[in-house]
Amino acid sequence: MAIDEVLRSGWYLRGEATRRFEQHYAEYIGTKYCVGVANGLDALTLILRAYKEMGVMRDGDEVIVPANTFIASVLAITDNNLTPVFVEPDINTLQIDDKLIEQAITPRTRAVMIVHLYGRCAYTDRIGDICRSHGLKLIEDNAQAHGCRYEEKNTGSLGSAAGHSFYPGKNLGALGDAGAVTTDDSELAEVVRALGNYGSHTKYVHDYMGRNSRIDELQAAILDAKLGFLDSANKRRKEIAVRYINKVDNPLIRIPQSDRDSVWHIFPVFSERRDALQTYLRKQGVETQIHYPIPPHQQHCYANAPLSSHRFPVTERLSQEELSLPCHQAMSNEEVEIVICLLQNFNG
Ligand SMILES: *Cc1c(COP(=O)(O)O)cnc(C)c1O
């Protein structure tokens, strides 16, 4: 239906379907503006680029970011000639340790980027206070947390701006690449929109050296239709997570803290015998993944960056012990029980 409408309109970019999805997604997240872009990496990159165009940041300025994140959070920073400053996560919440942020601030710090990793909220009141008192932008990487709540608000509306990914495997996924920026800042929204449109607000007038980063009309129409099912899909993910949390009891496997507001994009468990556990589950027909086996500071692409010499023991330990269990709204209770039973019987 949604697809037919786009095909009949003959309009494939920057049309009615995009406008409609942007409006509905902004309403869902609870921000004044939403700008559709080509993917989640672009969303984060264009937020930082827009802050540079607005004079908020300059080459070499620092952005604080959790050391345990997907590489895209960091690529958005380095792509803008900004410097990532890694902060370790808390071993229990798995999110950036808010007690360590203040000591990472220098005169060049301009922003804190929090990542709602695994679908769990990384925001705390302390982080909000630190950003306010130091005059820092608070950027949310909300690629994994569509629908996640913090008190009465949604993640994606807690800071100055947020980047969202609609990669097919995310909680709200397109049938291809797509992403969005949400913000209450009208200037930021306008600059991001122009940057994604060859740097142009007005056709053939170019204010910035922009790029092409747009959401397809087809993807926008699909996302708009799927948005209506997001909360029920998240609810089902939560039910599965609660089963795992309540029932897995094996000293070799650490289960994450229960969390009412998480949307469980990923259900991570941790084990010193991670690789053996993965092999054992695979032999029994259960596929698992590792998010993520190599932290950004140890990646080859950053081998020559100053950050590569630092040690981040908590992050490194998590990368060696993490295993993502199957957790998808389409799983049946029987399937979940089979995984639980296998985990109970794992003996290293
Ligand atoms: C998926 C993801 C991104 C990047 O999104 P793409 O749409 O794949 O570019 C950024 N950050 C995190 C935490 C992600 O999981």
Side-chain angles (χ1 to χ4, degrees):
M1 257 302 289
I3 295 175
D4 284 348
E5 219 173 278
V6 171
L7 295 180
R8 265 199 309 277
S9 80
W11 197 273
Y12 301 114
L13 290 161
R14 287 168 74 86
E16 195 47 46
T18 300
R19 262 194 299 281
R20 206 179 302 144
F21 173 65
E22 288 176 342
Q23 189 197 327
H24 290 157
Y25 195 65
E27 281 166 13
Y28 179 84
I29 293 295
T31 53
K32 288 190 188 139
Y33 308 99
C34 169
V35 182
V37 296
N39 55 64
L41 173 58
D42 276 9
L44 295 167
T45 306
L46 292 179
I47 289 168
L48 292 167
R49 175 75 191 281
Y51 280 133
K52 289 180 78 183
E53 297 292 349
M54 290 159 67
V56 176
M57 298 179 191
R58 281 191 285 165
D59 281 5
D61 281 345
E62 295 170 2
V63 178
I64 290 172
V65 65
N68 65 323
T69 185
F70 179 55
I71 193 83
S73 322
V74 187
L75 291 174
I77 298 169
T78 54
D79 193 53
N80 277 295
N81 294 320
L82 299 165
T83 305
V85 173
F86 290 123
V87 168
E88 286 263 62
D90 177 301
I91 190 91
N92 294 311
T93 66
L94 311 171
Q95 304 299 341
I96 191 166
D97 187 340
D98 62 5
K99 296 184 294 304
L100 302 179
I101 292 176
E102 229 155 3
Q103 66 201 54
I105 295 174
T106 77
R108 296 218 68 174
T109 310
R110 294 291 171 268
V112 176
M113 183 189 289
I114 56 173
V115 181
H116 303 299
L117 197 71
Y118 304 141
R120 300 166 74 93
C121 180
Y123 180 85
T124 62
D125 288 336
R126 184 173 186 163
I127 294 176
D129 290 343
I130 290 169
C131 289
R132 264 187 301 279
S133 67
H134 291 269
L136 306 177
K137 296 293 180 193
L138 175 57
I139 299 165
E140 300 175 78
D141 180 339
N142 200 45
Q144 301 192 356
H146 322 124
C148 176
R149 310 277 297 168
Y150 180 77
E151 294 176 355
E152 296 311 307
K153 297 175 103 182
N154 267 309
T155 57
S157 71
L158 304 170
S160 336
H164 309 254
S165 164
F166 307 118
Y167 171 83
K170 309 290 190 191
N171 290 37
L172 178 60
L175 302 185
D177 275 317
V181 171
T182 54
T183 182
D184 284 332
D185 180 339
S186 60
E187 185 186 2
L188 180 76
E190 248 181 73
V191 177
V192 167
R193 194 178 291 286
L195 284 169
N197 186 40
Y198 319 106
S200 166
H201 293 285
T202 310
K203 201 163 192 181
Y204 303 132
V205 180
H206 300 275
D207 299 317
Y208 317 105
M209 289 187 273
R211 61 166 87 181
N212 174 353
S213 185
R214 302 180 289 219
I215 195 165
D216 295 0
E217 284 285 281
L218 279 172
Q219 299 303 342
I222 289 160
L223 288 166
D224 198 42
K226 287 183 78 178
L227 183 58
F229 300 98
L230 175 60
D231 285 343
S232 60
N234 283 342
K235 187 162 163 277
R236 176 63 190 149
R237 284 177 185 269
K238 286 183 205 192
E239 287 169 7
I240 294 167
V242 166
R243 273 177 191 259
Y244 282 140
I245 289 171
N246 289 344
K247 294 195 174 170
V248 177
D249 182 14
N250 180 331
L252 296 174
I253 301 169
R254 290 201 314 283
I255 297 286
Q257 284 178 344
S258 75
D259 175 349
R260 194 168 47 91
D261 295 319
S262 173
V263 291
W264 300 105
H265 172 62
I266 285 165
F267 189 93
V269 295
F270 301 87
S271 175
E272 285 171 29
R273 305 280 300 137
R274 188 264 311 272
D275 293 343
L277 178 59
Q278 183 171 42
T279 307
Y280 160 82
L281 288 172
R282 182 178 297 137
K283 282 195 184 133
Q284 307 289 331
V286 175
E287 269 311 312
T288 56
Q289 292 186 51
I290 295 171
H291 296 93
Y292 296 93
I294 306 170
H297 71 279
Q298 295 184 323
Q299 292 288 352
H300 186 63
C301 63
Y302 291 129
N304 296 320
L307 46 94
S308 65
S309 59
H310 288 61
R311 292 274 69 87
F312 296 95
V314 180
T315 296
E316 288 161 26
R317 179 173 165 202
L318 291 176
S319 73
Q320 284 153 15
E321 298 188 349
E322 198 274 348
L323 191 69
S324 305
L325 299 185
C327 183
H328 186 271
Q329 63 267 19
M331 278 178 88
S332 68
N333 286 345
E334 291 68 37
E335 288 171 319
V336 181
E337 293 303 322
I338 289 168
V339 178
I340 291 169
C341 185
L342 290 170
L343 293 171
Q344 291 301 85
N345 291 330
F346 176 67
N347 56 19

